[in-house]
């Protein structure tokens, strides 16, 4: 569901991290016994009046706004290297970053950093849109998949990003899916989980050929149908 030609986020972008629970085994999902995956997210802040990003002075409130496009990705840790790699891969340079003041962001010198000190205040008060994205993503993962799995997390996040960015254009999203599928090679299960197929290069050995029902009865695959026998002509001497 990733468009290889998609444009990075720009204008005013909220960036933050969140922990996402995942299923540790095949048993029923239990939030108490589940593990945690660290997720980085970014969302465009759009002004409702102009329907465009409107950059304001530092520490000014962004009122009467809505969320635009989003980006999500799993990161290994909260280090500056992981966060900077996510921002540079998904956000255009010279963009205004609204963050919680994490020490990893000042290293992004080619961006306009506008930190918001959270302190004792709830995070969704100062960064409302990215926390709404995280909340919807968690509820979607629990309600649809009953808990996500670590080895499939990138595929799940890409699906959620695709759905969220096209939530107002359902017909366009279906046409986009057809266009993306037409230009992509088939993706196998082993491509999704990022492992080599253990049976790749090994011919499949079947004990007996599979059989299927046909108009003339059951017959093995790749077998020719029985030939019709033409009745022989009766001579005049046998009549």
């Amino acid at each position: 569901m990733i468009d290889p030609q998609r444009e990075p986020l720009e204008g005013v972008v909220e960036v933050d991290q969140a922990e996402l629970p995942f299923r540790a085994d095949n048993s029923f999902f239990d939030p108490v016994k589940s593990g945690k995956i660290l997720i980085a997210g970014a969302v465009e802040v759009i002004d409702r009046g102009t329907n465009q990003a409107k950059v304001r002075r530092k520490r000014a409130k962004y009122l009467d706004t809505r969320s635009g496009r989003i980006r999500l990705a799993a990161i290994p840790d909260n280090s500056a290297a992981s966060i900077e790699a996510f921002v540079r891969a998904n956000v255009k340079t010279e963009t205004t970053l609204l963050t919680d003041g994490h020490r990893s962001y000042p290293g992004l010198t080619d961006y306009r950093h506008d930190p918001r000190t959270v302190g004792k205040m709830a995070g969704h008060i100062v960064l409302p849109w990215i926390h709404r994205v995280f909340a919807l993503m968690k509820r979607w993962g629990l309600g649809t998949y009953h808990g996500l799995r670590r080895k499939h997390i990138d595929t799940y996040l890409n699906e959620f990003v695709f759905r969220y960015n096209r939530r107002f254009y359902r017909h366009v999203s279906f046409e986009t899916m057809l266009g993306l599928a037409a230009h992509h090679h088939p993706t196998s299960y082993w491509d999704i989980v990022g492992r080599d197929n253990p049976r790749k290069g090994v011919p499949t050995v079947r004990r007996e050929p599979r059989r299927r029902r046909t108009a003339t009865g059951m017959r093995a695959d790749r077998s020719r149908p029985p030939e019709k026998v033409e009745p022989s002509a009766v001579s005049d001497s046998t009549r």
Side-chain angles (χ1 to χ4, degrees):
M1 291 184 170
I2 297 179
D3 186 356
Q5 299 179 352
R6 66 181 183 180
E7 298 292 333
L9 306 183
E10 58 183 350
V12 181
V13 177
E14 288 185 6
V15 184
D16 202 2
Q17 302 87 248
E19 287 185 343
L20 183 68
F22 73 94
R23 294 176 59 179
D25 50 30
N26 293 326
S27 60
F28 184 77
F29 178 75
D30 185 359
V32 178
K33 299 180 181 179
S34 64
K36 298 292 184 181
I37 306 176
L38 192 59
I39 302 297
V43 55
E44 290 178 332
V45 179
I46 307 298
D47 188 77
R48 290 184 181 272
T50 60
N51 205 29
Q52 299 289 334
K54 184 178 179 181
V55 180
R56 304 178 185 181
R57 61 179 177 81
K58 286 190 175 183
R59 292 182 294 277
K61 294 183 179 180
Y62 283 82
L63 303 176
D64 197 20
T65 58
R66 66 173 182 84
S67 62
R69 299 176 298 161
I70 67 171
R71 295 286 188 272
L72 296 172
I75 55 177
D77 47 41
N78 260 327
S79 63
S82 301
I83 296 178
E84 288 183 9
F86 169 78
V87 173
R88 295 188 184 279
N90 296 281
V91 183
K92 189 177 180 180
T93 56
E94 300 181 0
T95 297
T96 299
L97 301 179
L98 304 181
T99 71
D100 57 358
H102 195 276
R103 290 180 296 178
S104 301
Y105 295 107
L108 299 167
T109 56
D110 46 351
Y111 293 85
R112 182 175 180 265
H113 188 208
D114 189 359
R116 305 302 169 100
T117 303
V118 177
K120 297 181 179 180
M121 188 182 302
H124 68 273
I125 301 298
V126 293
L127 299 173
W129 294 116
I130 189 60
H131 282 84
R132 181 169 297 186
V133 169
F134 288 149
L136 291 174
M137 178 189 61
K138 292 179 181 179
R139 179 50 52 194
W140 172 77
L142 293 176
T144 303
Y145 297 107
H146 306 288
L148 306 180
R149 296 180 183 272
R150 179 182 290 276
K151 61 183 179 181
H152 300 296
I153 188 62
D154 290 329
T155 305
Y156 291 130
L157 295 179
N158 292 335
E159 179 186 353
F160 182 80
V161 169
F162 183 92
R163 292 176 179 274
Y164 190 92
N165 290 346
R166 294 164 179 83
R167 60 195 183 279
F168 301 124
Y169 315 100
R170 297 186 180 274
H171 295 289
V172 176
S173 63
F174 179 73
E175 296 177 357
T176 303
M177 277 295 302
L178 293 180
L180 293 175
H183 291 85
H184 276 275
H185 294 289
T187 302
S188 66
Y189 168 81
W190 303 104
D191 295 331
I192 295 176
V193 299
R195 299 204 308 267
D196 294 332
N197 187 349
R199 300 183 61 182
K200 187 175 182 180
V202 179
T204 302
V205 179
R206 296 190 179 94
R207 296 182 178 179
E208 58 182 13
R210 293 178 297 184
R211 301 174 61 85
R212 58 190 178 92
R213 188 182 300 277
T214 65
T216 58
M218 298 294 294
R219 64 184 178 90
D221 282 354
R222 299 183 180 179
S223 62
R224 296 182 179 180
E227 298 180 357
K228 295 182 180 180
V229 180
E230 298 291 341
S232 60
V234 180
S235 60
D236 294 340
S237 60
T238 59
R239 289 181 178 177

